Amino acid sequence: MIKLGAVVSEFNFDITSMMLELAKEHAKFLEAEITEIIAVPGVYDMPIAIKKMLDDGNVDAVITLGAVIEGDTEHDEIVVQHAARKITDLSLEYNKPVTLGISGPGMTRLEAHQRVEYGKRAVEAAVKLVKRLQ
Ligand SMILES: Nc1c(NC[C@H](O)[C@H](O)[C@H](O)CO)[nH]c(=O)[nH]c1=O
Ligand SMILES: CC(=O)[C@@H](O)COP(=O)(O)O
């Protein structure tokens, strides 16, 4: 059984909690399991939680679940771009898949609701990568 860790943003939790439920269901469908969950305040805060999961070494891959909604400034871009870059860096540093289940930037709340399936996509990619890199 493939073990997945999930790092979930509390920001926009109405959306990210749905992403988490979809991710759990899809993991089960693929005969994998989300065995660890760490909630973080927002997407920008994810890297340190991902690093802890990878350091603890109890999961085969980590999925990230978040939704970054556009405000009045380009702050949303900073949040996503930095998180995405660190997610890739951590995956390469630890040689384990860390997949991007984060919607945005440049997105309205409605568009975020329409993209909750990103959670499912993150699971799909993590499971495929674990199998293919074995
Ligand atoms: N605006 C959104 C944020 N912003 C918060 C940051 O991610 C972070 O928690 C804060 O800057 C403290 O370090 N986070 C989201 O996940 N989604 C948003 O729309
Ligand atoms: C990504 C955010 O934190 C965002 O909602 C901030 O909004 P603003 O650009 O109006 O500061």
Side-chain angles (χ1 to χ4, degrees):
M1 172 86 75
I2 292 174
K3 291 184 192 170
L4 303 175
V7 174
V8 189
S9 169
E10 290 173 331
F11 211 104
N12 300 318
F13 197 62
D14 54 324
I15 295 163
T16 62
S17 56
M18 276 195 268
M19 295 172 99
L20 179 60
E21 284 317 305
L22 280 175
K24 282 181 186 169
E25 275 173 28
H26 200 57
K28 209 181 225 179
F29 174 71
L30 295 175
E31 294 175 350
E33 193 182 351
I34 295 178
T35 53
E36 286 183 26
I37 299 172
I38 300 181
V40 293
V43 162
Y44 185 83
D45 313 308
M46 286 183 167
I48 196 160
I50 299 167
K51 191 169 195 289
K52 178 172 170 28
M53 274 188 181
L54 294 170
D55 268 333
D56 291 349
N58 299 321
V59 293
D60 301 303
V62 176
I63 65 163
T64 58
L65 302 173
V68 183
I69 293 172
E70 190 173 24
D72 295 330
T73 70
E74 290 178 10
H75 191 72
D76 59 329
E77 301 215 358
I78 290 179
V79 169
V80 177
Q81 307 254 351
H82 284 262
R85 177 58 196 269
K86 277 291 140 197
I87 286 167
T88 308
D89 289 347
L90 285 165
S91 176
L92 295 177
E93 185 184 334
Y94 285 82
N95 281 315
K96 282 195 180 171
V98 183
T99 59
L100 189 71
I102 299 169
S103 56
M107 184 179 67
T108 63
R109 179 159 285 277
L110 174 62
E111 286 168 333
H113 276 281
Q114 289 166 339
R115 284 164 177 73
V116 289
E117 294 251 324
Y118 278 29
K120 192 170 156 184
R121 191 186 291 176
V123 170
E124 187 102 26
V127 169
K128 277 185 184 167
L129 284 167
V130 169
K131 287 183 178 164
R132 290 176 193 176
L133 298 176
Q134 261 167 1

Short mmCIF file of all heavy atoms in Angstrom, two decimals, residues 9-59:
data_model
loop_
_atom_site.label_atom_id
_atom_site.label_comp_id
_atom_site.label_asym_id
_atom_site.label_seq_id
_atom_site.Cartn_x
_atom_site.Cartn_y
_atom_site.Cartn_z
N SER A 9 -3.63 23.46 3.30
CA SER A 9 -3.73 24.86 3.75
C SER A 9 -5.06 25.11 4.45
O SER A 9 -6.11 24.70 3.98
CB SER A 9 -3.60 25.76 2.52
OG SER A 9 -3.94 27.07 2.87
N GLU A 10 -4.97 25.82 5.60
CA GLU A 10 -6.20 26.21 6.30
C GLU A 10 -6.83 27.46 5.66
O GLU A 10 -8.01 27.73 5.87
CB GLU A 10 -5.88 26.52 7.77
CG GLU A 10 -5.51 25.28 8.56
CD GLU A 10 -5.03 25.60 9.95
OE1 GLU A 10 -4.46 26.69 10.16
OE2 GLU A 10 -5.17 24.74 10.83
N PHE A 11 -6.04 28.20 4.94
CA PHE A 11 -6.56 29.39 4.24
C PHE A 11 -7.56 28.88 3.19
O PHE A 11 -7.27 27.94 2.46
CB PHE A 11 -5.39 30.10 3.55
CG PHE A 11 -5.55 31.59 3.44
CD1 PHE A 11 -4.85 32.45 4.28
CD2 PHE A 11 -6.39 32.14 2.48
CE1 PHE A 11 -4.97 33.82 4.17
CE2 PHE A 11 -6.52 33.51 2.36
CZ PHE A 11 -5.81 34.36 3.20
N ASN A 12 -8.70 29.49 3.10
CA ASN A 12 -9.77 29.01 2.19
C ASN A 12 -10.13 27.56 2.50
O ASN A 12 -10.28 26.72 1.59
CB ASN A 12 -9.33 29.15 0.72
CG ASN A 12 -9.02 30.58 0.35
OD1 ASN A 12 -9.73 31.48 0.73
ND2 ASN A 12 -7.95 30.79 -0.41
N PHE A 13 -10.30 27.28 3.80
CA PHE A 13 -10.51 25.89 4.23
C PHE A 13 -11.83 25.31 3.70
O PHE A 13 -11.95 24.09 3.56
CB PHE A 13 -10.46 25.79 5.77
CG PHE A 13 -10.27 24.38 6.25
CD1 PHE A 13 -9.13 23.67 5.92
CD2 PHE A 13 -11.24 23.75 7.01
CE1 PHE A 13 -8.94 22.35 6.35
CE2 PHE A 13 -11.07 22.45 7.46
CZ PHE A 13 -9.92 21.75 7.12
N ASP A 14 -12.80 26.17 3.39
CA ASP A 14 -14.04 25.65 2.80
C ASP A 14 -13.71 24.90 1.50
O ASP A 14 -14.32 23.88 1.17
CB ASP A 14 -15.05 26.78 2.53
CG ASP A 14 -14.47 27.92 1.69
OD1 ASP A 14 -13.28 28.24 1.84
OD2 ASP A 14 -15.22 28.48 0.87
N ILE A 15 -12.70 25.41 0.80
CA ILE A 15 -12.29 24.78 -0.48
C ILE A 15 -11.27 23.66 -0.23
O ILE A 15 -11.42 22.55 -0.75
CB ILE A 15 -11.69 25.85 -1.41
CG1 ILE A 15 -12.78 26.85 -1.79
CG2 ILE A 15 -11.07 25.22 -2.67
CD1 ILE A 15 -12.27 28.15 -2.37
N THR A 16 -10.27 23.92 0.61
CA THR A 16 -9.21 22.91 0.77
C THR A 16 -9.71 21.67 1.51
O THR A 16 -9.18 20.58 1.30
CB THR A 16 -7.97 23.50 1.47
OG1 THR A 16 -8.34 23.94 2.78
CG2 THR A 16 -7.38 24.66 0.69
N SER A 17 -10.74 21.83 2.36
CA SER A 17 -11.27 20.64 3.03
C SER A 17 -11.96 19.72 2.01
O SER A 17 -11.89 18.50 2.11
CB SER A 17 -12.23 21.01 4.17
OG SER A 17 -13.26 21.81 3.69
N MET A 18 -12.58 20.34 1.00
CA MET A 18 -13.18 19.51 -0.08
C MET A 18 -12.08 18.82 -0.87
O MET A 18 -12.20 17.66 -1.26
CB MET A 18 -14.00 20.39 -1.02
CG MET A 18 -15.39 20.67 -0.56
SD MET A 18 -16.36 21.34 -1.92
CE MET A 18 -16.11 23.07 -1.70
N MET A 19 -11.00 19.56 -1.11
CA MET A 19 -9.87 18.97 -1.85
C MET A 19 -9.32 17.76 -1.08
O MET A 19 -8.99 16.72 -1.67
CB MET A 19 -8.76 20.02 -2.06
CG MET A 19 -9.17 21.16 -2.95
SD MET A 19 -7.95 22.49 -3.00
CE MET A 19 -7.11 22.11 -4.53
N LEU A 20 -9.26 17.91 0.25
CA LEU A 20 -8.74 16.80 1.07
C LEU A 20 -9.68 15.59 1.00
O LEU A 20 -9.20 14.44 0.88
CB LEU A 20 -8.56 17.28 2.52
CG LEU A 20 -8.04 16.23 3.50
CD1 LEU A 20 -6.67 15.68 3.08
CD2 LEU A 20 -7.94 16.80 4.91
N GLU A 21 -10.98 15.83 1.07
CA GLU A 21 -11.92 14.70 1.00
C GLU A 21 -11.79 13.97 -0.34
O GLU A 21 -11.76 12.74 -0.40
CB GLU A 21 -13.36 15.18 1.21
CG GLU A 21 -13.69 15.49 2.65
CD GLU A 21 -13.16 14.46 3.64
OE1 GLU A 21 -13.46 13.26 3.49
OE2 GLU A 21 -12.41 14.85 4.55
N LEU A 22 -11.71 14.75 -1.43
CA LEU A 22 -11.55 14.14 -2.76
C LEU A 22 -10.24 13.35 -2.84
O LEU A 22 -10.18 12.27 -3.43
CB LEU A 22 -11.54 15.22 -3.84
CG LEU A 22 -12.88 15.78 -4.27
CD1 LEU A 22 -12.67 16.92 -5.26
CD2 LEU A 22 -13.72 14.68 -4.94
N ALA A 23 -9.20 13.92 -2.24
CA ALA A 23 -7.89 13.27 -2.27
C ALA A 23 -7.94 11.94 -1.51
O ALA A 23 -7.42 10.92 -1.98
CB ALA A 23 -6.83 14.20 -1.66
N LYS A 24 -8.62 11.95 -0.35
CA LYS A 24 -8.72 10.70 0.44
C LYS A 24 -9.47 9.62 -0.35
O LYS A 24 -9.04 8.47 -0.41
CB LYS A 24 -9.49 10.98 1.74
CG LYS A 24 -8.68 11.66 2.81
CD LYS A 24 -9.58 11.83 4.04
CE LYS A 24 -8.91 12.63 5.11
NZ LYS A 24 -9.85 13.01 6.18
N GLU A 25 -10.60 10.04 -0.96
CA GLU A 25 -11.41 9.08 -1.75
C GLU A 25 -10.60 8.52 -2.91
O GLU A 25 -10.63 7.33 -3.19
CB GLU A 25 -12.63 9.79 -2.34
CG GLU A 25 -13.80 9.87 -1.43
CD GLU A 25 -14.90 10.73 -2.02
OE1 GLU A 25 -15.01 10.82 -3.26
OE2 GLU A 25 -15.64 11.35 -1.23
N HIS A 26 -9.88 9.42 -3.59
CA HIS A 26 -9.15 8.96 -4.78
C HIS A 26 -7.97 8.06 -4.39
O HIS A 26 -7.66 7.10 -5.10
CB HIS A 26 -8.68 10.16 -5.60
CG HIS A 26 -8.37 9.79 -7.01
ND1 HIS A 26 -9.28 9.19 -7.86
CD2 HIS A 26 -7.22 9.88 -7.74
CE1 HIS A 26 -8.72 8.94 -9.03
NE2 HIS A 26 -7.47 9.35 -8.98
N ALA A 27 -7.36 8.36 -3.25
CA ALA A 27 -6.26 7.50 -2.78
C ALA A 27 -6.79 6.08 -2.56
O ALA A 27 -6.18 5.10 -2.99
CB ALA A 27 -5.66 8.08 -1.49
N LYS A 28 -7.95 5.99 -1.91
CA LYS A 28 -8.56 4.68 -1.65
C LYS A 28 -8.82 3.95 -2.97
O LYS A 28 -8.52 2.76 -3.11
CB LYS A 28 -9.88 4.90 -0.91
CG LYS A 28 -10.28 3.78 0.00
CD LYS A 28 -11.61 4.11 0.64
CE LYS A 28 -11.59 3.81 2.11
NZ LYS A 28 -12.88 4.16 2.73
N PHE A 29 -9.37 4.69 -3.94
CA PHE A 29 -9.67 4.12 -5.25
C PHE A 29 -8.41 3.54 -5.91
O PHE A 29 -8.45 2.53 -6.60
CB PHE A 29 -10.30 5.21 -6.14
CG PHE A 29 -10.54 4.80 -7.56
CD1 PHE A 29 -11.54 3.90 -7.88
CD2 PHE A 29 -9.77 5.34 -8.59
CE1 PHE A 29 -11.76 3.52 -9.20
CE2 PHE A 29 -9.98 4.96 -9.91
CZ PHE A 29 -10.98 4.05 -10.22
N LEU A 30 -7.28 4.20 -5.67
CA LEU A 30 -6.01 3.75 -6.28
C LEU A 30 -5.24 2.79 -5.37
O LEU A 30 -4.07 2.52 -5.59
CB LEU A 30 -5.14 4.97 -6.60
CG LEU A 30 -5.69 5.94 -7.64
CD1 LEU A 30 -4.79 7.16 -7.78
CD2 LEU A 30 -5.84 5.25 -8.99
N GLU A 31 -5.91 2.32 -4.32
CA GLU A 31 -5.30 1.42 -3.34
C GLU A 31 -4.07 2.03 -2.68
O GLU A 31 -3.06 1.38 -2.45
CB GLU A 31 -4.99 0.06 -3.99
CG GLU A 31 -6.27 -0.66 -4.37
CD GLU A 31 -6.07 -1.94 -5.13
OE1 GLU A 31 -4.93 -2.21 -5.53
OE2 GLU A 31 -7.07 -2.65 -5.33
N ALA A 32 -4.18 3.32 -2.42
CA ALA A 32 -3.16 4.03 -1.63
C ALA A 32 -3.89 4.58 -0.40
O ALA A 32 -5.10 4.39 -0.26
CB ALA A 32 -2.57 5.16 -2.46
N GLU A 33 -3.13 5.23 0.49
CA GLU A 33 -3.78 5.78 1.69
C GLU A 33 -3.07 7.04 2.13
O GLU A 33 -1.83 7.12 2.08
CB GLU A 33 -3.72 4.73 2.81
CG GLU A 33 -4.62 5.08 3.96
CD GLU A 33 -4.54 4.08 5.11
OE1 GLU A 33 -3.91 3.02 4.96
OE2 GLU A 33 -5.09 4.40 6.16
N ILE A 34 -3.87 8.02 2.55
CA ILE A 34 -3.28 9.23 3.16
C ILE A 34 -3.09 8.90 4.64
O ILE A 34 -4.06 8.80 5.40
CB ILE A 34 -4.17 10.47 2.93
CG1 ILE A 34 -4.22 10.78 1.43
CG2 ILE A 34 -3.62 11.66 3.72
CD1 ILE A 34 -5.08 11.95 1.02
N THR A 35 -1.86 8.69 5.04
CA THR A 35 -1.58 8.22 6.40
C THR A 35 -1.17 9.34 7.34
O THR A 35 -1.14 9.15 8.55
CB THR A 35 -0.48 7.14 6.37
OG1 THR A 35 0.66 7.67 5.68
CG2 THR A 35 -0.95 5.87 5.69
N GLU A 36 -0.80 10.48 6.78
CA GLU A 36 -0.39 11.62 7.62
C GLU A 36 -0.95 12.89 7.02
O GLU A 36 -0.92 13.06 5.80
CB GLU A 36 1.14 11.78 7.63
CG GLU A 36 1.84 10.74 8.45
CD GLU A 36 3.35 10.97 8.50
OE1 GLU A 36 3.81 12.12 8.34
OE2 GLU A 36 4.06 9.98 8.69
N ILE A 37 -1.41 13.78 7.87
CA ILE A 37 -1.91 15.08 7.41
C ILE A 37 -1.31 16.16 8.29
O ILE A 37 -1.31 16.03 9.52
CB ILE A 37 -3.46 15.16 7.50
CG1 ILE A 37 -4.12 14.08 6.63
CG2 ILE A 37 -3.96 16.54 7.10
CD1 ILE A 37 -5.63 13.95 6.81
N ILE A 38 -0.77 17.20 7.68
CA ILE A 38 -0.36 18.38 8.45
C ILE A 38 -1.10 19.58 7.86
O ILE A 38 -1.02 19.85 6.65
CB ILE A 38 1.17 18.65 8.39
CG1 ILE A 38 1.96 17.46 8.97
CG2 ILE A 38 1.51 19.92 9.19
CD1 ILE A 38 3.48 17.66 8.98
N ALA A 39 -1.83 20.28 8.71
CA ALA A 39 -2.52 21.52 8.29
C ALA A 39 -1.56 22.69 8.54
O ALA A 39 -0.92 22.75 9.60
CB ALA A 39 -3.80 21.70 9.07
N VAL A 40 -1.46 23.57 7.58
CA VAL A 40 -0.61 24.76 7.71
C VAL A 40 -1.49 25.99 7.50
O VAL A 40 -2.55 25.90 6.87
CB VAL A 40 0.56 24.74 6.69
CG1 VAL A 40 1.53 23.62 6.98
CG2 VAL A 40 0.04 24.64 5.25
N PRO A 41 -1.06 27.16 7.99
CA PRO A 41 -1.93 28.35 7.85
C PRO A 41 -2.25 28.69 6.39
O PRO A 41 -3.39 29.00 6.06
CB PRO A 41 -1.12 29.46 8.53
CG PRO A 41 -0.22 28.76 9.48
CD PRO A 41 0.12 27.44 8.83
N GLY A 42 -1.26 28.66 5.52
CA GLY A 42 -1.49 29.00 4.12
C GLY A 42 -0.48 28.29 3.23
O GLY A 42 0.48 27.66 3.71
N VAL A 43 -0.69 28.40 1.94
CA VAL A 43 0.16 27.72 0.97
C VAL A 43 1.64 28.11 1.12
O VAL A 43 2.53 27.26 1.01
CB VAL A 43 -0.35 28.03 -0.46
CG1 VAL A 43 0.69 27.74 -1.51
CG2 VAL A 43 -1.63 27.24 -0.73
N TYR A 44 1.86 29.38 1.41
CA TYR A 44 3.25 29.84 1.54
C TYR A 44 3.99 29.09 2.66
O TYR A 44 5.21 28.94 2.61
CB TYR A 44 3.26 31.36 1.83
CG TYR A 44 4.63 31.96 1.86
CD1 TYR A 44 5.27 32.33 0.68
CD2 TYR A 44 5.30 32.15 3.07
CE1 TYR A 44 6.54 32.87 0.71
CE2 TYR A 44 6.56 32.69 3.10
CZ TYR A 44 7.18 33.06 1.92
OH TYR A 44 8.44 33.60 1.95
N ASP A 45 3.25 28.62 3.65
CA ASP A 45 3.84 27.98 4.83
C ASP A 45 4.06 26.47 4.65
O ASP A 45 4.47 25.78 5.59
CB ASP A 45 2.93 28.22 6.05
CG ASP A 45 2.50 29.67 6.14
OD1 ASP A 45 3.39 30.54 6.12
OD2 ASP A 45 1.28 29.95 6.19
N MET A 46 3.80 25.97 3.47
CA MET A 46 3.85 24.51 3.27
C MET A 46 5.26 23.89 3.33
O MET A 46 5.41 22.77 3.83
CB MET A 46 3.21 24.14 1.93
CG MET A 46 1.71 24.24 1.96
SD MET A 46 1.02 23.71 0.39
CE MET A 46 -0.70 23.56 0.84
N PRO A 47 6.29 24.56 2.80
CA PRO A 47 7.56 23.87 2.67
C PRO A 47 8.11 23.24 3.97
O PRO A 47 8.59 22.10 3.94
CB PRO A 47 8.51 24.95 2.12
CG PRO A 47 7.58 25.83 1.32
CD PRO A 47 6.32 25.87 2.13
N ILE A 48 8.00 23.94 5.08
CA ILE A 48 8.58 23.39 6.32
C ILE A 48 7.82 22.13 6.78
O ILE A 48 8.41 21.19 7.33
CB ILE A 48 8.67 24.46 7.43
CG1 ILE A 48 9.60 23.99 8.53
CG2 ILE A 48 7.30 24.87 7.95
CD1 ILE A 48 10.14 25.09 9.42
N ALA A 49 6.51 22.09 6.51
CA ALA A 49 5.72 20.90 6.89
C ALA A 49 6.05 19.73 5.95
O ALA A 49 6.14 18.58 6.39
CB ALA A 49 4.24 21.23 6.83
N ILE A 50 6.25 20.04 4.67
CA ILE A 50 6.63 18.99 3.71
C ILE A 50 7.98 18.41 4.13
O ILE A 50 8.19 17.19 4.16
CB ILE A 50 6.76 19.57 2.28
CG1 ILE A 50 5.42 20.15 1.81
CG2 ILE A 50 7.28 18.53 1.31
CD1 ILE A 50 5.52 21.01 0.55
N LYS A 51 8.90 19.30 4.49
CA LYS A 51 10.25 18.87 4.89
C LYS A 51 10.18 17.96 6.12
O LYS A 51 10.87 16.95 6.20
CB LYS A 51 11.10 20.11 5.17
CG LYS A 51 12.57 19.84 5.33
CD LYS A 51 13.33 21.17 5.32
CE LYS A 51 14.80 20.99 5.12
NZ LYS A 51 15.48 20.40 6.25
N LYS A 52 9.32 18.30 7.07
CA LYS A 52 9.20 17.46 8.27
C LYS A 52 8.71 16.06 7.89
O LYS A 52 9.25 15.06 8.36
CB LYS A 52 8.25 18.11 9.29
CG LYS A 52 8.09 17.22 10.51
CD LYS A 52 7.34 17.82 11.63
CE LYS A 52 7.00 16.81 12.73
NZ LYS A 52 7.88 15.68 12.91
N MET A 53 7.70 16.01 7.02
CA MET A 53 7.19 14.70 6.61
C MET A 53 8.27 13.88 5.92
O MET A 53 8.41 12.69 6.15
CB MET A 53 6.03 14.87 5.63
CG MET A 53 4.72 15.04 6.29
SD MET A 53 3.41 14.99 5.06
CE MET A 53 2.02 15.24 6.15
N LEU A 54 9.03 14.54 5.06
CA LEU A 54 10.08 13.83 4.33
C LEU A 54 11.21 13.41 5.28
O LEU A 54 11.77 12.32 5.15
CB LEU A 54 10.60 14.69 3.18
CG LEU A 54 9.57 14.97 2.07
CD1 LEU A 54 10.08 16.04 1.11
CD2 LEU A 54 9.24 13.69 1.30
N ASP A 55 11.52 14.25 6.24
CA ASP A 55 12.54 13.90 7.24
C ASP A 55 12.10 12.71 8.09
O ASP A 55 12.89 11.82 8.38
CB ASP A 55 12.78 15.10 8.19
CG ASP A 55 13.90 16.00 7.71
OD1 ASP A 55 14.80 15.50 7.00
OD2 ASP A 55 13.86 17.20 8.03
N ASP A 56 10.83 12.70 8.49
CA ASP A 56 10.32 11.60 9.31
C ASP A 56 10.35 10.28 8.53
O ASP A 56 10.50 9.21 9.12
CB ASP A 56 8.89 11.89 9.79
CG ASP A 56 8.85 13.02 10.81
OD1 ASP A 56 9.91 13.44 11.29
OD2 ASP A 56 7.73 13.51 11.11
N GLY A 57 10.19 10.36 7.21
CA GLY A 57 10.40 9.19 6.34
C GLY A 57 9.32 8.13 6.39
O GLY A 57 9.56 6.99 5.99
N ASN A 58 8.12 8.48 6.85
CA ASN A 58 7.07 7.46 6.95
C ASN A 58 6.12 7.41 5.76
O ASN A 58 5.15 6.65 5.77
CB ASN A 58 6.24 7.71 8.23
CG ASN A 58 7.11 7.61 9.47
OD1 ASN A 58 7.99 6.75 9.54
ND2 ASN A 58 6.88 8.50 10.42
N VAL A 59 6.33 8.27 4.75
CA VAL A 59 5.44 8.28 3.58
C VAL A 59 6.26 8.09 2.30
O VAL A 59 7.46 8.39 2.25
CB VAL A 59 4.62 9.59 3.50
CG1 VAL A 59 3.63 9.69 4.65
CG2 VAL A 59 5.49 10.82 3.45
#
